mmCIF file of all heavy atoms in Angstrom:
data_model
loop_
_atom_site.group_PDB
_atom_site.id
_atom_site.type_symbol
_atom_site.label_atom_id
_atom_site.label_comp_id
_atom_site.label_asym_id
_atom_site.label_seq_id
_atom_site.Cartn_x
_atom_site.Cartn_y
_atom_site.Cartn_z
ATOM 1 N N GLY A 651 122.461 110.317 129.075
ATOM 2 C CA GLY A 651 121.701 111.473 129.493
ATOM 3 C C GLY A 651 120.536 111.189 130.119
ATOM 4 O O GLY A 651 119.882 111.858 131.193
ATOM 5 N N LYS A 652 119.776 110.110 129.855
ATOM 6 C CA LYS A 652 118.543 109.660 130.475
ATOM 7 C C LYS A 652 118.924 109.033 131.868
ATOM 8 O O LYS A 652 118.008 109.281 132.807
ATOM 9 C CB LYS A 652 117.916 108.469 129.601
ATOM 10 C CG LYS A 652 117.491 108.971 128.334
ATOM 11 C CD LYS A 652 116.871 107.805 127.394
ATOM 12 C CE LYS A 652 116.407 108.358 125.947
ATOM 13 N NZ LYS A 652 115.930 107.299 125.204
ATOM 14 N N ILE A 653 119.965 108.469 131.993
ATOM 15 C CA ILE A 653 120.365 108.015 133.380
ATOM 16 C C ILE A 653 120.608 109.191 134.237
ATOM 17 O O ILE A 653 120.184 109.244 135.382
ATOM 18 C CB ILE A 653 121.694 107.123 133.386
ATOM 19 C CG1 ILE A 653 121.239 105.712 132.630
ATOM 20 C CG2 ILE A 653 122.188 106.722 134.658
ATOM 21 C CD1 ILE A 653 122.385 104.915 132.334
ATOM 22 N N ILE A 654 121.198 110.252 133.726
ATOM 23 C CA ILE A 654 121.492 111.430 134.429
ATOM 24 C C ILE A 654 120.095 112.046 134.996
ATOM 25 O O ILE A 654 119.928 112.520 136.084
ATOM 26 C CB ILE A 654 122.272 112.430 133.758
ATOM 27 C CG1 ILE A 654 123.717 111.870 133.419
ATOM 28 C CG2 ILE A 654 122.269 113.895 134.303
ATOM 29 C CD1 ILE A 654 124.564 112.725 132.365
ATOM 30 N N ALA A 655 119.135 112.007 133.995
ATOM 31 C CA ALA A 655 117.854 112.595 134.282
ATOM 32 C C ALA A 655 117.097 111.810 135.466
ATOM 33 O O ALA A 655 116.542 112.403 136.265
ATOM 34 C CB ALA A 655 116.951 112.524 132.942
ATOM 35 N N ALA A 656 117.270 110.493 135.395
ATOM 36 C CA ALA A 656 116.651 109.646 136.438
ATOM 37 C C ALA A 656 117.223 109.866 137.794
ATOM 38 O O ALA A 656 116.662 109.981 138.838
ATOM 39 C CB ALA A 656 116.771 108.169 136.029
ATOM 40 N N LYS A 657 118.669 110.069 137.735
ATOM 41 C CA LYS A 657 119.322 110.295 139.032
ATOM 42 C C LYS A 657 118.905 111.593 139.612
ATOM 43 O O LYS A 657 118.714 111.730 140.849
ATOM 44 C CB LYS A 657 120.850 110.317 138.734
ATOM 45 C CG LYS A 657 121.656 110.408 140.011
ATOM 46 C CD LYS A 657 123.209 110.285 139.721
ATOM 47 C CE LYS A 657 123.959 110.345 140.992
ATOM 48 N NZ LYS A 657 125.460 110.114 140.769
ATOM 49 N N TYR A 658 118.762 112.564 138.723
ATOM 50 C CA TYR A 658 118.375 113.933 139.188
ATOM 51 C C TYR A 658 117.024 113.895 139.880
ATOM 52 O O TYR A 658 116.675 114.461 140.926
ATOM 53 C CB TYR A 658 118.422 114.969 138.077
ATOM 54 C CG TYR A 658 117.798 116.332 138.478
ATOM 55 C CD1 TYR A 658 118.611 117.251 139.155
ATOM 56 C CD2 TYR A 658 116.468 116.559 138.167
ATOM 57 C CE1 TYR A 658 118.058 118.460 139.506
ATOM 58 C CE2 TYR A 658 115.919 117.789 138.577
ATOM 59 C CZ TYR A 658 116.663 118.798 139.294
ATOM 60 O OH TYR A 658 116.133 119.898 139.618
ATOM 61 N N ALA A 659 116.157 113.177 139.257
ATOM 62 C CA ALA A 659 114.721 113.031 139.671
ATOM 63 C C ALA A 659 114.789 112.325 141.067
ATOM 64 O O ALA A 659 114.050 112.807 142.048
ATOM 65 C CB ALA A 659 113.839 112.375 138.778
ATOM 66 N N ARG A 660 115.563 111.275 141.246
ATOM 67 C CA ARG A 660 115.475 110.494 142.454
ATOM 68 C C ARG A 660 116.142 111.259 143.654
ATOM 69 O O ARG A 660 115.624 111.352 144.700
ATOM 70 C CB ARG A 660 116.426 109.138 142.315
ATOM 71 C CG ARG A 660 116.384 108.317 143.512
ATOM 72 C CD ARG A 660 117.115 107.125 143.380
ATOM 73 N NE ARG A 660 118.544 107.346 142.764
ATOM 74 C CZ ARG A 660 119.542 107.823 143.510
ATOM 75 N NH1 ARG A 660 119.289 107.970 144.873
ATOM 76 N NH2 ARG A 660 120.769 108.037 143.051
ATOM 77 N N GLU A 661 117.269 111.976 143.279
ATOM 78 C CA GLU A 661 117.993 112.778 144.376
ATOM 79 C C GLU A 661 117.181 113.892 144.789
ATOM 80 O O GLU A 661 117.345 114.525 145.965
ATOM 81 C CB GLU A 661 119.341 113.099 143.885
ATOM 82 C CG GLU A 661 120.231 111.919 143.744
ATOM 83 C CD GLU A 661 121.575 112.295 143.311
ATOM 84 O OE1 GLU A 661 121.818 113.324 142.751
ATOM 85 O OE2 GLU A 661 122.521 111.332 143.422
ATOM 86 N N ASN A 662 116.298 114.558 143.877
ATOM 87 C CA ASN A 662 115.686 115.653 144.171
ATOM 88 C C ASN A 662 114.208 115.577 144.406
ATOM 89 O O ASN A 662 113.461 116.545 144.559
ATOM 90 C CB ASN A 662 115.848 116.828 143.051
ATOM 91 C CG ASN A 662 117.404 117.286 143.032
ATOM 92 O OD1 ASN A 662 117.744 118.207 143.637
ATOM 93 N ND2 ASN A 662 118.130 116.638 142.137
ATOM 94 N N ASN A 663 113.777 114.226 144.489
ATOM 95 C CA ASN A 663 112.381 113.965 144.937
ATOM 96 C C ASN A 663 111.353 114.497 143.814
ATOM 97 O O ASN A 663 110.336 115.026 144.313
ATOM 98 C CB ASN A 663 111.997 114.398 146.204
ATOM 99 C CG ASN A 663 110.841 113.678 146.908
ATOM 100 O OD1 ASN A 663 110.625 112.537 146.465
ATOM 101 N ND2 ASN A 663 110.037 114.305 147.685
ATOM 102 N N VAL A 664 111.824 114.558 142.599
ATOM 103 C CA VAL A 664 110.922 114.925 141.478
ATOM 104 C C VAL A 664 110.203 113.711 140.983
ATOM 105 O O VAL A 664 110.802 112.682 140.666
ATOM 106 C CB VAL A 664 111.674 115.619 140.402
ATOM 107 C CG1 VAL A 664 110.831 116.095 139.171
ATOM 108 C CG2 VAL A 664 112.598 116.740 140.884
#
Side-chain angles (χ1 to χ4, degrees):
K652 295 176 183 180
I653 292 175
I654 291 169
K657 184 176 183 179
Y658 172 83
R660 181 181 55 78
E661 292 180 342
N662 293 276
N663 202 29
V664 178

